[in-house]
Amino acid sequence: MTRKFFITTAIDYPNSRPHIGTAFEKIGADVQARYRRMEGYDVHFLMGNDENTVKVSRRAAELKRDTQEYCNDMANQFKEVWRALDISFDDFIQTSEPRHHAGCQKFIQKVFDNGYIYKGSYDGLYCDGCEGFKTEKEVKEAGGVCPDHKVAPVVRQEPCYFFALSKFQDRLLEYYEKNADFIQPDSRRNEIVTLVKTELRDVNITRLGQQWGIRVPFDPEFTIYVWFDALLNYITAIGYCSKPNGDAGAVGMSFEKWWPADIHFIGKDITRFHCALWPAMCFAAGIEVPTLVYGHGFITSGGEKMSKTLGNIVEPHEVTAIAGADGYRYYFMRECPFPGDGDFSWDRLKIVFNSDLGKNLGNLLSRVTTLIVSNYSCVLDGTAGQTPSPIVLNLANVVKEVRGHMEACQYNIALERIWRQILDPANQYVDKNEPWKLVKTDKDATRLVLFNLIEPLRAAAILLKPVLVRSSETIYRSFNFTQPWEKVSYADVANRPAQADDMRVIAKLDERGKVPPLFPVIK
RNA sequence: CCCGGGGUGGAGCAGUGGUAGCUCGCCAGGCUCAUAACCUGGAGGUCGCAGGUUCAAAUCCUGCCCCCGGAACCA
């Protein structure tokens, strides 16, 4: 029986286009999704946009556009960016969709019926210009005024509904205790445990007098506050509210099948919402709590936090333009430890791309294929059914190690292992055996050397499939392996499926009669 | 103030008591099949600071300094 695996990423505000920081999370999630699919899991990979915020409707108004139309346009732009990075999402939810609205209302009603929502009043700093409350922090940072309107906000009291978060303190702590892996990486755990132990307060989950947003079903004067709405995308997308008649539900999806989520990928800044508020909401509504929340690190640009004023915001297309989607994915997965922070710089991109991808990997393919093409007319006669002599002696261990790092989202370490344990030995083997010399005196021996060298290329291609989506396939399809590319899994790396035909180079050759460079050098 | 994480050659990291290691970059040599690639060797660190424990500390203890993070719309 295949195991289901439900992966989500945080939904993004569509106020501005995604940058390399936003994309970092999606790539990490995508690598996990692709890895799990290879390993035979039934994967559902969800992404989306968070549209029910005042900021979105205000931004649309500024542009003199209809809010919904603006959201749809932005959602299309986001999806375009994700596709350009080969992010293999299965579903993309917009929180303005009927399936989300219906699901949210069902959920909040359920929590209300279960007695965890009560009416009260909220004291806050209110800005007339914004027609909304500002946080103390916001006002303080702006020097005592509204950061947008530069006017001192007034204290205002307003009726609202509270979610009784504080009632779940014990259950939350017990859940953390029993599920040691719930919060990843471990460094985030303490923070949350302390938080829940010390300052768990009930939260205001409504707003008054807003047009855009989701109505509170038991009091339609109110709209649902964004966090109480946003988190629900994880369940509304998979049919939390689907009805037998199909009305408002996600087509063909089954909440029962997919929930709970196996991994929520989020930024470290919103860990608390996902590790405290969200599980409490699940308890309150009587649904299961997600299995794992993974709070990844942030990306700086040129050593600085990305900001408009510094002008160092980098958009994905700028990077793919010179490194391609695979170069892009490799850079961030290899250079930036997923649990921690990482930096992007153009210098570093060039170095990493040329050295790791061009020199170590791409050039290995070139030197091996060219020797086979020019000396053996592409075919290594008599190799059908043969087993190559291993260049990597402990390949099974390497696979085991890489697999462990992939599952722990330690992508940078997984990649480092592949380079050090597989590609370096392969390049050294070429140098030691000097097939270009050997071929002049012993063509049979050389044939075996080359045959052996195809093996680490096959291993690397398979192990890299989740990261180097396109070039791993190009490497694999340069040869006539019996096992189809669509079917390869990590298990095939050490347990090489029998090769039916003589090994040969089947890549399309360029005008020079060679296999074209995989990763042309960035000047 | 308090809590958590961290400070190791130019950059990024390993390393929890016993001659300080890896990747990239840099320099030199080798080689020439290959994307001027690849291989080998080298320079470069008083392991944040100051004490202490020990035959022996990056590694244990104490104090201090610095950086990052620490609930409300923020990737």
Side-chain angles (χ1 to χ4, degrees):
Chain A
M1 199 183 90
T2 56
R3 255 186 66 195
K4 70 93 183 170
F5 205 86
F6 180 33
I7 297 177
T8 72
T9 60
I11 50 177
D12 298 300
Y13 292 121
N15 299 346
S16 52
R17 296 168 52 77
H19 53 64
I20 53 175
T22 333
F24 184 47
E25 171 178 303
K26 317 307 176 196
I27 292 178
D30 184 63
V31 169
Q32 191 64 216
R34 288 178 183 275
Y35 167 77
R36 296 286 172 175
R37 289 194 195 101
M38 273 179 85
E39 294 306 283
Y41 290 81
D42 185 9
V43 171
H44 186 61
F45 179 17
L46 170 70
M47 291 176 45
N49 277 358
D50 188 3
E51 300 171 331
N52 298 323
T53 78
V54 193
K55 279 189 180 172
V56 170
S57 60
R58 203 180 297 150
R59 178 80 186 130
E62 272 169 36
L63 299 169
K64 296 190 165 52
R65 296 178 63 180
D66 173 65
T67 310
Q68 185 65 60
E69 183 233 349
Y70 170 73
C71 286
N72 293 346
D73 180 36
M74 289 307 286
N76 284 329
Q77 289 192 41
F78 271 68
K79 282 189 266 189
E80 247 175 65
V81 173
W82 303 145
R83 288 194 186 107
L85 295 176
D86 290 324
I87 309 292
S88 61
F89 57 91
D90 296 302
D91 188 8
F92 190 94
I93 188 168
Q94 297 177 239
T95 58
S96 60
E97 289 176 46
R99 59 173 165 162
H100 183 69
H101 277 240
C104 276
Q105 293 189 325
K106 175 180 167 184
F107 187 92
I108 199 171
Q109 183 69 53
K110 180 84 178 163
V111 174
F112 183 73
D113 293 343
N114 287 347
Y116 294 112
I117 290 174
Y118 63 92
K119 199 165 186 180
S121 68
Y122 177 79
D123 285 316
L125 298 166
Y126 186 87
C127 171
D128 273 327
C130 298
E131 295 183 29
F133 289 95
K134 301 272 112 184
T135 65
E136 276 180 36
K137 192 174 158 194
E138 267 182 302
V139 175
K140 195 177 166 189
E141 279 174 2
V145 296
C146 163
D148 297 330
H149 296 87
K150 312 297 177 200
V151 177
V154 294
V155 176
R156 178 163 154 179
Q157 202 176 51
E158 192 175 279
C160 69
Y161 286 90
F162 282 97
F163 170 57
L165 179 59
S166 59
K167 284 192 181 173
F168 295 97
Q169 187 179 43
D170 293 343
R171 286 185 71 178
L172 286 170
L173 292 173
E174 189 193 340
Y175 189 78
Y176 303 150
E177 185 75 26
K178 286 189 179 162
N179 301 275
D181 292 338
F182 173 58
I183 304 168
Q184 289 292 315
D186 290 331
S187 52
R188 298 267 141 227
R189 267 181 69 81
N190 292 335
E191 226 168 275
I192 298 299
V193 171
T194 312
L195 170 84
V196 170
K197 271 185 181 157
T198 58
E199 44 180 329
L200 203 63
R201 277 177 272 154
D202 291 352
V203 289
N204 175 3
I205 55 163
T206 58
R207 286 293 127 102
L208 193 59
Q210 282 175 11
Q211 289 308 304
W212 182 251
I214 303 175
R215 297 282 137 204
V216 173
F218 45 84
D219 196 343
E221 251 191 294
F222 292 88
T223 49
I224 304 175
Y225 169 67
V226 281
W227 270 112
F228 208 86
D229 139 6
L231 290 163
L232 296 176
N233 88 87
Y234 303 134
I235 59 171
T236 60
I238 50 169
Y240 175 70
C241 194
S242 56
K243 298 167 188 160
N245 60 14
D247 184 36
V251 178
M253 290 308 293
S254 159
F255 176 73
E256 286 70 29
K257 172 178 176 184
W258 294 106
W259 194 252
D262 293 273
I263 305 184
H264 286 313
F265 284 103
I266 59 161
K268 63 181 182 180
D269 55 332
I270 54 176
T271 312
R272 44 187 37 70
F273 298 110
H274 284 78
C275 297
L277 176 61
W278 180 221
M281 286 167 66
C282 293
F283 287 139
I287 64 171
E288 281 185 79
V289 174
T291 306
L292 195 157
V293 175
Y294 198 99
H296 63 77
F298 283 173
I299 299 297
T300 51
S301 167
E304 307 269 8
K305 188 174 176 174
M306 271 186 277
S307 79
K308 278 182 188 162
T309 44
L310 279 174
N312 62 349
I313 293 178
V314 179
E315 290 200 23
H317 68 86
E318 299 175 69
V319 182
T320 53
I322 70 166
D326 279 358
Y328 185 111
R329 294 166 65 98
Y330 182 80
Y331 180 88
F332 286 99
M333 292 296 99
R334 176 70 184 86
E335 277 299 292
C336 309
F338 200 54
D341 295 342
D343 187 55
F344 173 82
S345 76
W346 295 101
D347 280 352
R348 193 71 198 148
L349 173 71
K350 191 173 118 181
I351 289 168
V352 169
F353 183 95
N354 288 344
S355 153
D356 289 3
L357 295 179
K359 296 182 191 179
N360 293 333
L361 177 58
N363 187 54
L364 176 64
L365 178 71
S366 290
R367 60 201 313 209
V368 171
T369 52
T370 303
L371 284 163
I372 296 173
V373 170
S374 52
N375 294 299
Y376 298 89
S377 306
C378 296
V379 190
L380 298 179
D381 289 322
T383 52
Q386 296 290 306
T387 303
S389 304
I391 292 171
V392 182
L393 294 171
N394 51 349
L395 192 56
N397 278 335
V398 176
V399 175
K400 194 177 160 193
E401 219 183 318
V402 171
R403 179 181 267 143
H405 292 310
M406 292 297 282
E407 293 181 4
C409 304
Q410 307 265 32
Y411 305 128
N412 61 325
I413 303 176
L415 291 170
E416 193 259 351
R417 294 286 82 193
I418 296 169
W419 257 255
R420 298 291 82 80
Q421 308 274 357
I422 296 178
L423 297 176
D424 284 356
N427 272 315
Q428 286 159 7
Y429 181 86
V430 181
D431 211 60
K432 195 188 292 173
N433 288 282
E434 303 181 303
W436 55 92
K437 272 186 192 164
L438 187 64
V439 74
K440 289 172 185 156
T441 56
D442 191 340
K443 224 174 161 188
D444 288 335
T446 311
R447 187 181 355 253
L448 289 179
V449 166
L450 294 171
F451 179 59
N452 294 341
L453 276 165
I454 292 173
E455 199 44 17
L457 281 167
R458 187 186 69 87
I462 295 172
L463 293 173
L464 290 170
K465 189 178 179 185
V467 180
L468 302 181
V469 175
R470 304 179 197 196
S471 33
S472 60
E473 178 170 1
T474 304
I475 294 168
Y476 195 85
R477 290 195 194 281
S478 297
F479 304 94
N480 62 329
F481 298 117
T482 304
Q483 173 84 318
W485 178 240
E486 297 75 25
K487 292 227 174 89
V488 297
S489 73
Y490 272 33
D492 295 332
V493 175
N495 302 314
R496 180 172 175 272
Q499 180 65 26
D501 308 316
D502 284 341
M503 193 55 75
R504 60 193 299 156
V505 173
I506 58 169
K508 205 170 205 177
L509 307 180
D510 62 18
E511 60 284 351
R512 307 168 307 163
K514 293 180 169 189
V515 172
L518 252 192
F519 301 102
V521 170
I522 297 174
K523 299 290 181 193

